């Protein structure tokens, strides 16, 4: 009889939930992000639940032990996780857990200088700062910092292809970077020409999951052309030819380190450059 009573008491305690594990998930603290971006969730307790349901707070639901959810709209979101184990459900809600702040968009254009100066360019920010003003501008030329704010003026030292980048930060502490190439050569007028001139006549695209880039040029450009791939210091690391009448070629990039490169296409009537990023496969 005593054993029967002891078993009954133990069963009641178990059913009432005494001693059960409190549901928990990571991240373990409030998350502040510059969106849009992904958040990785992991159920950390209880171990090996039978079922898991998620409410990400933005109108989207999910399931699974470690879901990934992308937040796209600026705001503050509460996250709820419901777990089931052994037929018993429990949940945990983290109030105002995800804060998605507005992320600016960095972009700039290059203009001919109003006052003629050889090889000089004026760059002007023309991106988006959202509702928050830009509090910091960081300009770089070939990896070296250059002074500037919403505009930046730079005199290039010699012929070549230069990588110009701008990183902006808004009042929410969110940043974005944009980079593009500038070509300086003997065909330049002393005041220079906009680097976007005729650049729509050829394109560079990366082949996903393969060490290849595809270079296409306008069908009107039929003459033989030279293609150089340059690193951010302006050093030619790959060189090849595009033959007369050829409008598209593929180039291998397996010997290039991950990073930013510039593809320069030049012929008797045309010269321009495009930037591409080699990523780790």
């Amino acid at each position: 009889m005593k054993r029967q009573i002891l078993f009954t008491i133990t069963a009641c305690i178990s059913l009432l939930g005494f001693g059960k594990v409190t549901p928990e998930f990571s991240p373990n603290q409030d998350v502040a992000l510059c969106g849009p971006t992904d958040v990785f969730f992991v159920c950390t307790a209880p171990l090996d639940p039978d079922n898991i349901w998620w409410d990400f707070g933005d109108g989207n639901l999910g399931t699974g032990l470690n879901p990934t959810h992308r937040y796209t709209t600026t705001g503050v979101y509460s996250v709820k996780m419901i777990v089931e184990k052994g037929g018993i459900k429990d949940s945990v809600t983290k109030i105002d857990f995800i804060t998605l702040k507005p992320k600016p968009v960095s972009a700039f254009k290059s203009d001919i200088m109003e006052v003629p100066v050889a090889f000089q360019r004026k760059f002007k920010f023309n991106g988006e700062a959202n509702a928050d003003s830009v509090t910091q501008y960081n300009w770089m030329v070939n990896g070296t910092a250059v002074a500037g704010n919403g505009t930046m003026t730079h005199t290039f030292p010699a012929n070549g292809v230069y990588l110009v980048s701008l990183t902006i930060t808004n009042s929410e502490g969110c940043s974005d970077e944009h980079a593009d190439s500038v070509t300086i050569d003997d065909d330049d007028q002393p005041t220079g020409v906009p680097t976007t001139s005729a650049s729509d006549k050829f394109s560079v695209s990366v082949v996903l999951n393969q060490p290849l880039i595809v270079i296409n040029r306008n069908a009107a450009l039929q003459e033989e052309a030279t293609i150089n791939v340059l690193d951010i210091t302006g050093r030619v690391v790959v060189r090849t030819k595009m033959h007369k009448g050829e409008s598209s070629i593929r180039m291998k990039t397996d010997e290039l380190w991950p990073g930013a490169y510039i593809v320069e296409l030049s012929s008797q009537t045309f010269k321009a450059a495009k930037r591409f990023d080699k990523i780790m496969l």
Side-chain angles (χ1 to χ4, degrees):
M1 179 62 70
K2 289 182 179 180
R3 289 182 179 180
Q4 179 65 37
I5 292 172
L6 179 61
F7 173 78
T8 302
I9 293 173
T10 303
C12 289
I13 291 174
S14 177
L15 289 173
L16 288 172
F18 290 101
K20 69 181 180 182
V21 176
T22 301
E24 183 55 88
F25 65 85
S26 65
N28 298 319
Q29 58 187 11
D30 292 357
V31 178
L33 303 165
C34 299
T37 191
D38 293 330
V39 180
F40 302 90
F41 297 95
V42 178
C43 173
T44 55
L47 298 176
D48 301 321
D50 299 326
N51 292 294
I52 304 179
W53 299 270
W54 299 83
D55 183 341
F56 299 115
D58 61 350
N60 292 286
L61 306 176
T63 59
L65 191 66
N66 53 348
T68 299
H69 180 63
R70 186 170 185 82
Y71 289 89
T72 59
T73 304
T74 300
V76 180
Y77 304 98
S78 299
V79 178
K80 182 178 183 179
M81 181 186 72
I82 304 171
V83 295
E84 181 182 31
K85 187 167 185 177
I88 299 176
K89 290 184 179 179
D90 202 352
S91 66
V92 58
T93 301
K94 298 187 179 183
I95 304 298
D96 297 341
F97 184 61
I98 302 292
T99 300
L100 194 66
K101 299 182 290 186
K103 182 178 180 179
V105 178
S106 179
F108 57 83
K109 64 178 182 177
S110 170
D111 293 330
I112 301 173
M113 290 299 297
E114 296 176 2
V115 179
V117 178
F119 301 143
Q120 194 171 81
R121 299 289 185 276
K122 182 177 182 180
F123 300 88
K124 183 177 181 180
F125 167 71
N126 65 346
E128 297 177 11
N130 310 109
D132 308 281
S133 61
V134 175
T135 59
Q136 188 173 350
Y137 298 86
N138 293 316
W139 294 91
M140 301 190 80
V141 176
N142 279 3
T144 301
V146 177
N149 42 44
T151 60
M152 183 272 286
T153 300
H154 186 70
T155 302
F156 295 88
N159 291 351
V161 180
Y162 301 85
L163 186 65
V164 178
S165 67
L166 169 62
T167 301
I168 60 172
T169 304
N170 65 14
S171 59
E172 294 282 350
C174 296
S175 299
D176 188 45
E177 179 187 9
H178 173 71
D180 209 344
S181 60
V182 176
T183 301
I184 302 294
D185 57 36
D186 291 333
D187 295 329
D188 257 354
Q189 298 298 318
T191 58
V193 296
T195 59
T196 56
S197 294
S199 63
D200 58 336
K201 292 184 179 180
F202 93 106
S203 63
V204 179
S205 58
V206 178
V207 180
L208 293 177
N209 301 319
Q210 295 186 48
L212 290 171
I213 57 173
V214 179
I215 302 168
N216 296 293
R217 66 173 174 176
N218 191 296
L221 303 173
Q222 292 292 315
E223 68 269 25
E224 183 174 287
T226 298
I227 296 175
N228 293 323
V229 177
L230 304 94
D231 61 20
I232 62 172
T233 68
R235 181 174 63 94
V236 176
V237 292
V238 179
R239 174 173 289 158
T240 189
K241 291 284 186 182
M242 182 173 277
H243 299 293
K244 185 176 181 179
E246 198 171 26
S247 60
S248 178
I249 66 168
R250 291 190 167 202
M251 290 184 65
K252 291 185 177 181
T253 62
D254 49 352
E255 295 184 0
L256 303 181
W257 289 97
Y261 291 88
I262 298 168
V263 176
E264 180 187 71
L265 185 147
S266 61
S267 64
Q268 291 183 345
T269 63
F270 175 76
K271 186 170 186 177
K274 292 282 188 179
R275 178 183 184 269
F276 83 95
D277 292 309
K278 168 68 184 297
I279 61 174
M280 181 74 73
L281 295 178

